[in-house]
Amino acid sequence: MADVDYEACRYSVTVRTDDPAVLHMLRGLTQQCESGRFKQIAWGGTGERDWAVADHEVTFRFSAPTDRSRFRSEARRLLPDGSWTELRSDDNDPATRQRS
């Protein structure tokens, strides 16, 4: 994947959950909601180990604001209230490579 593919995923949302099962559901929702060609970029760096090190916070990145919006809506629709919390979002927070 080219750097431009990572730079395109710049609409971020950072969430917190204390439940690893919810983390994995959010990762799946990210995959479902991302419209870009390389969907795995959107959830890169959000594995269980990354989540544990980051005090149960992860950042998902989307290639369009509508993808991020859909993620929020679907997470609210499908997951129980209180199982996750949105902490912040940014319109200029591009993804970075997770592997060298």
Side-chain angles (χ1 to χ4, degrees):
M1 288 172 263
D3 288 342
V4 69
D5 295 314
Y6 289 88
E7 292 164 7
C9 284
R10 65 185 184 97
Y11 299 95
S12 70
V13 60
T14 300
V15 301
R16 176 176 171 67
T17 181
D18 291 325
D19 187 333
V22 171
L23 167 67
H24 291 287
M25 288 184 238
L26 291 168
R27 287 168 48 102
L29 281 175
T30 300
Q31 171 85 16
Q32 179 67 26
C33 295
E34 170 56 31
S35 63
R37 183 171 151 206
F38 299 107
K39 294 175 181 281
Q40 66 272 29
I41 293 173
W43 48 262
T46 65
E48 204 166 324
R49 195 173 319 144
D50 304 302
W51 165 79
V53 168
D55 195 28
H56 298 179
E57 294 180 15
V58 291
T59 300
F60 301 109
R61 292 175 174 87
F62 299 90
S63 57
T66 53
D67 297 344
R68 182 179 57 193
S69 244
R70 184 171 167 222
F71 166 83
R72 288 172 170 144
S73 295
E74 290 298 291
R76 282 192 300 266
R77 180 177 75 86
L78 295 169
L79 297 169
D81 287 344
S83 64
W84 67 284
T85 304
E86 181 176 332
L87 301 175
R88 63 191 161 277
S89 65
D90 192 322
D91 288 350
N92 193 22
D93 182 19
T96 57
R97 291 181 183 275
Q98 298 301 308
R99 298 181 187 156
S100 36

